[in-house]
Amino acid sequence: MSVPAVTRATRASRIATVVAALGLVVLMLAPWWAGRADMRLMGEIYLYLSLACLWNLMAGYAGLVSVGQQAYVGFGGYMLFALTVFGGLHPIAAIVAAGGLAAAVSVPVATLIFRLKGAYFAIGTWVVAEVFRLSFAQVSALGGGSGSSLPVGIVRSLSSSRSGREALSYWLALGAAVLVIGTVYLFLRSRRGLALTAIRDSEAAASGLGIDIWRTKLEVYVVTSALTAIIGGLIFLQKLRISPDAAFSVNDWTAFVIFIVVIGGIGTLEGPIIGTLVFFAIRETLADFGTTYLMILGAVAIVVMLKAPKGIWGLIRDRIDLELFPLGYRVHQEGGEGGTLK
């Protein structure tokens, strides 16, 4: 009598790992085969993918539906400017430090907004983002309401040539996407990730099993806030200019991110990847149509939510049982892949 094996990996996930590794090598070599416009577009894709993965971790797994993550995007951007201009830090060191500062700031913020539930929590996060925006708009040293540009000397500290700076910005964006996806994946595979899944399925049952719900959600909020601030720093390192309206834009850094996650598949690791590709395909194809482009985005979101509530990836997974990021355990019977234990 054969004993079934319990593993996480599947044939599809092994193939996906090999393809991802080869694809990563090709993408790392982009400065030698892609043009400037292509590199900027790909860098933007990586940064939006990172933001989408982080929002998905909060909303899709921890149940923290935030509409105020632009608070940490803007915070990271402003810390980049403040720490380089007034602190004398190298831009890369300033971005890393911005992540640490965001983590520290997120603790008292979480202590406040975690008292709110459901829609009130979402509104609370937006209010916090507005407080951040109004606060930085009062700092005249950073340009006040009109914003400021990164000094030329700081920009040149990245590289003496324009091509070198563009390549470095591209590699930083690619590295950030790999870091975020890897961090989220490892977190979900850990004991904390298992606790998070239990909380998502039923907070009452998770509490009955001895899981500290408040602490687990706090950990997720702090980690996502820190990484979001790092992504914010990278975004404005590419733009070289910052202003309160641009840094704390709910449309750019939250609405589009929510769209990406919803159409891709909330509560999955593959969903934000699919959603990001769909979003940029629509944007690059229809952006010249102005407001019509935004209307089409809304129509696509409505159709996906009605026809595929679990998103595009959820629809694919339900039909062919495909999993590229193995999080659940699978029972392998002799001669077949077996089912999934989550």
Side-chain angles (χ1 to χ4, degrees), residues 1-16:
M1 181 179 178
S2 61
V3 178
V6 180
T7 63
R8 288 183 186 266
T10 65
R11 186 180 297 111
S13 68
R14 296 188 190 99
I15 294 173

Side-chain angles (χ1 to χ4, degrees), residues 165-184:
R165 291 192 295 271
E166 290 176 344
L168 180 58
S169 295
Y170 172 83
W171 283 324
L172 288 173
L174 177 59
V178 174
L179 171 65
V180 168
I181 294 174
T183 300
V184 173

Side-chain angles (χ1 to χ4, degrees), residues 201-242:
D201 293 340
S202 173
E203 287 195 13
S207 179
L209 292 172
I211 296 174
D212 190 333
I213 295 175
W214 193 91
R215 181 176 178 180
T216 303
K217 288 187 175 184
L218 176 64
E219 290 175 353
V220 171
Y221 188 80
V222 171
V223 169
T224 56
S225 298
L227 291 175
T228 299
I230 290 175
I231 301 303
L234 291 174
I235 288 171
F236 288 98
L237 182 63
Q238 286 189 348
K239 294 180 179 296
L240 302 180
R241 178 170 177 78
I242 195 169

Side-chain angles (χ1 to χ4, degrees), residues 173-297:
L174 177 59
V178 174
L179 171 65
V180 168
I181 294 174
T183 300
V184 173
Y185 176 61
L186 294 176
F187 185 88
L188 292 176
R189 281 177 64 106
S190 68
R191 294 182 62 185
R192 290 297 183 191
L194 185 61
L196 202 59
T197 303
I199 292 172
R200 180 190 64 182
D201 293 340
S202 173
E203 287 195 13
S207 179
L209 292 172
I211 296 174
D212 190 333
I213 295 175
W214 193 91
R215 181 176 178 180
T216 303
K217 288 187 175 184
L218 176 64
E219 290 175 353
V220 171
Y221 188 80
V222 171
V223 169
T224 56
S225 298
L227 291 175
T228 299
I230 290 175
I231 301 303
L234 291 174
I235 288 171
F236 288 98
L237 182 63
Q238 286 189 348
K239 294 180 179 296
L240 302 180
R241 178 170 177 78
I242 195 169
S243 67
D245 291 339
F248 300 98
S249 171
V250 65
N251 191 52
D252 291 338
W253 314 127
T254 298
F256 287 157
V257 169
I258 293 175
F259 172 84
I260 288 171
V261 176
V262 168
I263 65 171
I266 191 169
T268 66
L269 281 175
E270 298 87 350
I273 299 175
I274 299 295
T276 302
L277 295 177
V278 172
F279 170 72
F280 276 91
I282 296 174
R283 197 191 76 172
E284 293 304 304
T285 304
L286 303 174
D288 292 337
F289 291 92
T291 56
T292 304
Y293 146 70
L294 296 176
M295 293 171 62
I296 293 175
L297 281 182

